Structures are given as C-alpha cells and as structure tokens.
C-alpha cells in the first residue's frame, strides 16, 4: 500500500489545461473508452472509461505544468496520482447484490484519501454503474447507489457545497467505477435556473436525492476551467421529450445556454460551445448517433473535441446526456 503525503497548498489556478500552453506541460491524464478487458494494464496517467466508444475523439487529454513531480496512488481498489494542487483518482469495486454497499465503501475510501492527501475539495465526480436502470421503485440500482453514496457523504463530507458530477450506466460486468478530480482549494459552484438543484429533488426520485451541483468553476480569473455535470433534457425536475432524441438534444442545449448565462451573470467570461473544451456525449442507443451529431454540430459543438460513448442514462426515459470541461475566455 502506498501512502499519499499532504503537499503544500499551491494555486490550483495554475497548471491544469486542456492543451499545452507554455511548453512545460506534461500530460496529467488521458481518458479513453473501453477496449479489451476491464483488467487490462494501463499507464499511470491513463484512465479507462468503462463505456464503448461510438464516434468522435479517440481520447481526452489534460495537461499540467509547473507543479512538481507526481505522487502515485496505488492501493487496493484505488489508483491515480496527485500533482501539486490537484488529485485525480479512480476507485473500482465489483457490485455483489445491491450497489448501496459498493457505493458507500468506494466513497468512504475516496473521501478518506482526499483528506489524507491534502486535497479535500472535490471539483467533480464521474460515476459509472453497470445495469444502472435495473430494478423497480426504490430497488432501482441507481437509487440504491445514491443511498450508499449519501451515507458516505453524511459520515465524512466536511465541505459546505456539493461538487459537480456525472452518473451513467457502464457496460455489463463493469461493477462500479468512480473517478474524482479534487484540489487543495474549493471550486465555485454554479446552479442552473432552469433546473431544480439535484440535492433538492422530490421523493419520487429515490430515498436519497443525488448529491451534485450543475457545474464547478476553478482557477484564477485569467485561467478558468468550468466543469459541467452530466446534463440531459430535464427542466425543473421533470424529464421532457421522452419519445424524441432530437428534442432531448435541443432541450439539453437550452440547459447549457442557461448555465452559460448563469456563469456570465457572475462577471465571468461567457462560455460558448466553441470554447477550448472537451466534451463527452452519452447515447443510450448508438443508432441515434447521426441525428445527435447533426444537431450538436449545427449548434457549434466541436466534434473533434467530443467523445461519443454508449451509456445508459440514470433515468430510463432519457436517451441522451452530455458533460464537459471548458476553458473560459478562449
């Protein structure tokens, strides 16, 4: 078991970029879709998305510079690295029976690691759960996951905000995988005026509401990154356009526009889909790729910066979801 020593806090505004900018950056991480088996060996800085690629960019890279040497994280069920102000880690666990226990254990381990490492402030979680829609009522696997996750947060979360997050269904047999990006300084949290905050969802969505915010903003004024949570065709707390993937894409884009407006109202540079960015698009049905691509391209989404992935969405009626990270002012 390796240990992670707390590092002196540094300015998280410096170092993390979507593309090299000064020549001294090195790859912090590469994210790529599933290939081969879930047990395949990966480079330390490569993070495997347990989702099948459908189209688009073959991988997503982040870069970092001027933050010192990486500290590797290698424990049972946990792998990743910390570099200066940043920590990037993933936890995996098979799901035997209900996902509640697996979620509680993974999040308990992750939150303990963040405190120990000196990076207690989560920017974003990415959650991948196989068979996410299986089960009825409160026994649905996604709802059970939310309960277990909530139990860990209730016991160990020390902050006064909910981080950004994505939660989608992974390929069969993948179990539960959670990736976390954390920092030594807290992000600024942004909600969407068109949507009820996820942590205030009514009881119909399960005994424990999903605990996440719509976006998280990090960095100094001249070097901002906006991490957007998984966003779908939800207005208020209701799913819309259940019979049309095209209408769901359009509604999702309206949610993104509203979120961009909320960022600008804070005095920030207004983001746009054409900003320097990395996007992940989740499709329940791969045969929807062409109409989805056409609508996104028409809206200005750079397809060369976008990964299209096959994934079940956390609500059965939803066919499409999108998240991403954008550099403001570019």
């Amino acid at each position: 078991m390796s240990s992670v020593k707390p590092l002196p806090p540094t300015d998280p505004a410096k170092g993390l970029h979507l593309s090299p900018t000064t020549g001294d950056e090195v790859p912090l991480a590469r994210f790529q879709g599933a290939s081969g088996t879930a047990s395949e060996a990966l480079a330390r800085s490569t993070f495997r998305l347990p989702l099948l690629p459908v189209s688009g960019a073959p991988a997503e890279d982040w870069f970092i510079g001027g933050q010192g040497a990486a500290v590797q994280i290698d424990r049972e069920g946990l792998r990743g690295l910390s570099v200066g102000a940043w920590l990037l880690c993933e936890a995996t666990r098979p799901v035997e029976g209900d996902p509640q226990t697996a979620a509680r254990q993974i999040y308990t381990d992750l939150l303990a690691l963040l405190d120990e490492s000196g990076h207690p402030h989560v920017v974003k979680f990415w959650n991948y759960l196989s068979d996410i829609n299986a089960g009825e009522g409160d026994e649905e696997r996604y709802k059970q996951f939310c309960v277990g996750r909530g139990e860990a947060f209730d016991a160990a979360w020390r902050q006064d905000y909910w981080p950004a997050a994505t939660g989608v269904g992974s390929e069969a047999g993948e179990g539960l995988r959670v990736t976390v990006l954390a920092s030594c300084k807290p992000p600024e949290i942004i909600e969407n005026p068109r949507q009820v905050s996820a942590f205030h969802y009514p009881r119909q969505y399960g005994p424990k509401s999903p605990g996440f915010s719509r976006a998280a903003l990090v960095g100094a004024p001249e070097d901002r990154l906006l991490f957007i949570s998984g966003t779908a065709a939800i207005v208020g707390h209701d799913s819309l356009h259940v019979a049309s993937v095209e209408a769901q894409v359009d509604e999702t884009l309206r949610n993104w526009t509203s979120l961009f407006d909320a960022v600008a109202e804070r005095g920030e540079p207004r983001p746009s889909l054409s900003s320097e960015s990395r996007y992940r698009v989740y499709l329940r049905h791969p045969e929807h790729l062409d109409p989805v691509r056409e609508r996104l391209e028409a809206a200005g989404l750079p397809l060369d910066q976008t990964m299209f992935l096959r994934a079940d969405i956390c609500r059965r009626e939803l066919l499409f979801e999108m998240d991403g990270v954008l550099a403001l002012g570019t």
Side-chain angles (χ1 to χ4, degrees), residues 26 54 74 87 127 135 139 144 153 157 183-184 195 234 244 274 284-286 302 305 325 330:
V26 296
V54 177
D74 190 2
L87 180 144
N127 305 283
E139 300 305 309
Q144 293 177 335
F153 264 69
W157 184 239
S183 175
C184 65
Q195 297 179 302
I234 296 172
S244 171
S274 60
R284 184 179 292 274
H285 302 300
Q305 299 175 21
V325 52
T330 62

Side-chain angles (χ1 to χ4, degrees), residues 32-34 48-57 127-134 166-174 280-289 292 306-316 318-321:
Q32 62 187 39
R48 177 183 178 275
L49 307 178
L51 308 170
L52 292 177
V54 177
S55 181
N127 305 283
Y128 310 98
L129 174 64
S130 59
D131 300 318
I132 194 170
N133 301 132
T166 293
V168 294
S170 58
E171 292 301 302
E174 291 280 358
R280 299 177 194 174
V281 169
Y282 307 101
L283 298 173
R284 184 179 292 274
H285 302 300
E287 58 267 30
H288 289 157
L289 174 64
V292 168
T306 304
M307 299 178 71
F308 291 82
L309 302 156
R310 216 300 304 173
D312 291 331
I313 314 304
C314 63
R315 296 187 188 184
R316 299 177 191 183
L318 294 176
L319 308 171
F320 166 89
E321 183 170 310

Side-chain angles (χ1 to χ4, degrees), residues 80-197:
L81 67 163
S82 65
V83 185
W86 299 99
L87 180 144
L88 184 64
C89 182
E90 68 177 7
T92 57
R93 187 176 291 273
V95 177
E96 300 174 357
D98 71 83
Q100 180 177 341
T101 299
R104 183 175 60 248
Q105 292 173 339
I106 274 186
Y107 269 89
T108 297
D109 292 345
L110 282 173
L111 294 178
L113 172 67
L114 300 184
D115 283 340
E116 175 189 341
S117 71
H119 301 81
H121 298 288
V122 176
V123 177
K124 185 169 179 183
F125 286 108
W126 290 261
N127 305 283
Y128 310 98
L129 174 64
S130 59
D131 300 318
I132 194 170
N133 301 132
E136 299 298 326
D138 286 351
E139 300 305 309
E140 185 185 38
R141 283 166 62 87
Y142 178 62
K143 293 175 182 176
Q144 293 177 335
F145 160 82
C146 288
V147 171
R149 178 183 185 272
E151 290 171 344
F153 264 69
D154 289 345
W157 184 239
R158 315 293 183 206
Q159 314 308 326
D160 60 357
Y161 68 91
W162 290 103
T166 293
V168 294
S170 58
E171 292 301 302
E174 291 280 358
L176 175 61
R177 182 184 300 256
V178 180
T179 304
V180 59
L181 175 68
S183 175
C184 65
K185 291 188 177 181
E188 298 174 41
I189 296 303
I190 299 173
E191 289 295 318
N192 190 335
R194 297 186 86 227
Q195 297 179 302
V196 172
S197 297

Side-chain angles (χ1 to χ4, degrees), residues 264-286:
E265 288 172 3
R266 298 168 65 96
E268 304 284 348
R270 191 183 191 282
S272 73
L273 292 176
S274 60
S275 300
E276 174 72 12
S277 52
R278 300 292 181 268
Y279 299 105
R280 299 177 194 174
V281 169
Y282 307 101
L283 298 173
R284 184 179 292 274
H285 302 300

